[in-house]
Amino acid sequence: MSTAIVLALIASFCTATSSVCQRIGASTAPTGDKFTLKLLLYLARNPMWLAGVASLILGFVFQVVALHFGGLALVQPIFATELIFVFGYMAVIGRRNIRKTDWMAAVAMAAGLSVFLFTAAPSGGRVHPPATLWWLAGISALGLAAVVTVAAYVPLRRGSRPSPARKAATIGIATGISWGFVAAVIKEMSTHNTLGSALSSWTPYVLVGVGGLSMLLAAHALQAGPLAASQPGFTIVDPLVASLLGIFVFSEHLQLDPADLAVEALSLGALVWGVITLSHSRLIHGEDPESLAPEPPVNVRLNVDV
C-alpha cells in the first residue's frame, strides 16, 4: 500500500506541473465559443504547453505503476493533492504572501485525505471485470462528460454568453469525469504482466482514444477561463468517478460500518472544503501574469489571466 501511495503522490505532482504549464500555454490561445480540434493544433506549437504534456505523460507512467500496486479506491483519491502542488507553484511563482486560510485549507486537505484512506482501508476487488460492466461504465461516464461539455456552451439567459469562469468550471468537471474513466482503464491495463499481453488487449487502444479526448477537454477548460475555475473539477471529480468505478466495476471494498462512515464523511468534507478554499485562493486565482509566463518580447504583452 505504501508503494502505491508514494507513486500516486509523484504522479499527482507531475499532473499539477502539467496543469500549470498547460494553463500558461493555453492562456495565449485565441478565445472562441466553439469546441474545436483547432485549439490542439495551435497549442502543439507552444513550448510551455508541450512541457505540460510531457509532464502529463510522466504522471501517467507513475499512475500506471501506482495502480499496479494499489486499487482505484486507494490511488485515485490521492490525486486530490494535485491542488496542493498547484498551490505550491503559485506560492513560489506568484511570490504572494500565504494567508492563514490557505495554510488551513492545505492542512485540511492533507489530513482529510489521510484519515479517509486510513478509515476506508480500500481492499480486494476483481482483476478483470466482465465486458458488460465496461460497456456500462464507458457509456455512462463518457455520455455524462458529453452532456456536461455541451452544457458549458449553453447560455443561462437568451442573448448572453456563458462566462469564462462558468465555462472553465463546467468543462473542468467534464474533464474530471473523463479522467476518472481513464484511470479505470489504466487499472485494467496495469494488471497485465507483460507489454505483449497489454497490447493484445483492448485497454491501450481505448486509453489512446479516451486519453486524447480528455486532453482536448482539459485544453478547452484551461483556455476558457481561470485555473481556479477548472482545477476543482480536475481534482475532485476525477478521484470521485474513479473510486466509484473501482467499487462498482472492480468490486473493491471499503469499510462501511456506521462509525467508519461517519469518520469518512467528515474527512471527505474537510478534503472538499480544502480543495474549494484553495481553488479560490489569491495564490491561484490572482497570480501575477509576469511571474507565470516567460518574459514576453519587447513591445508585446502576454495576457495570462489565470
Side-chain angles (χ1 to χ4, degrees):
M1 180 180 290
S2 59
T3 301
I5 292 174
V6 171
L7 291 170
L9 285 171
I10 297 173
S12 181
F13 174 76
C14 292
T15 55
T17 303
S18 174
S19 289
V20 173
C21 291
Q22 289 188 74
R23 169 55 190 164
I24 294 173
S27 63
T28 63
T31 59
D33 296 325
K34 296 181 179 179
F35 189 86
T36 173
L37 288 170
K38 291 182 179 179
L39 179 60
L40 284 183
L41 297 177
Y42 173 88
L43 293 174
R45 300 189 295 270
N46 187 300
M48 184 62 71
W49 188 81
L50 291 175
V53 172
S55 182
L56 183 65
I57 293 172
L58 184 61
F60 163 76
V61 173
F62 280 107
Q63 184 182 15
V64 171
V65 182
L67 286 169
H68 179 75
F69 288 100
L72 277 171
L74 169 66
V75 171
Q76 286 307 116
I78 297 174
F79 277 83
T81 59
E82 178 184 337
L83 192 57
I84 293 182
F85 293 123
V86 173
F87 161 90
Y89 271 117
M90 297 301 102
V92 175
I93 298 176
R95 297 189 295 274
R96 290 180 180 270
N97 294 327
I98 302 176
R99 298 181 300 178
K100 184 183 296 184
T101 305
D102 298 327
W103 284 118
M104 290 174 61
V107 171
M109 279 191 65
L113 181 62
S114 300
V115 172
F116 174 78
L117 290 176
F118 178 80
T119 306
S123 62
R126 69 186 93 193
V127 178
H128 298 293
T132 52
L133 286 179
W134 276 116
W135 277 107
L136 180 61
I139 292 172
S140 300
L142 300 183
L144 181 58
V147 170
V148 173
T149 301
V150 171
Y153 293 90
V154 176
L156 295 178
R157 295 188 303 272
R158 180 177 297 180
S160 65
R161 294 182 177 181
S163 68
R166 179 201 158 200
K167 189 185 295 184
T170 308
I171 304 176
I173 292 172
T175 305
I177 296 171
S178 182
W179 276 349
F181 179 72
V182 166
V185 177
I186 292 173
K187 173 60 180 176
E188 170 74 17
M189 188 175 69
S190 70
T191 60
H192 297 276
N193 295 322
T194 64
L195 179 60
S197 175
L199 291 177
S200 64
S201 71
W202 57 269
T203 51
Y205 311 103
V206 171
L207 188 61
V208 169
V210 181
L213 172 64
S214 301
M215 184 177 294
L216 179 61
L217 285 170
H220 278 277
L222 292 167
Q223 180 263 352
L227 180 60
S230 58
Q231 195 66 40
F234 295 166
T235 54
I236 295 178
V237 179
D238 173 10
L240 175 61
V241 170
S243 297
L244 289 174
L245 291 175
I247 294 171
F248 291 107
V249 176
F250 287 89
S251 297
E252 295 179 357
H253 307 293
L254 301 179
Q255 298 300 319
L256 300 177
D257 293 335
D260 293 329
L261 283 175
V263 175
E264 290 162 14
L266 289 174
S267 60
L268 285 177
L271 174 61
V272 171
W273 177 83
V275 170
I276 294 174
T277 301
L278 283 186
S279 71
H280 291 88
S281 168
R282 291 174 64 248
L283 293 170
I284 295 176
H285 189 69
E287 62 269 49
D288 298 321
E290 61 271 17
S291 69
L292 289 176
E295 189 69 24
V298 178
N299 297 328
V300 177
R301 182 180 179 183
L302 292 180
N303 181 22
V304 185
D305 180 22
V306 179

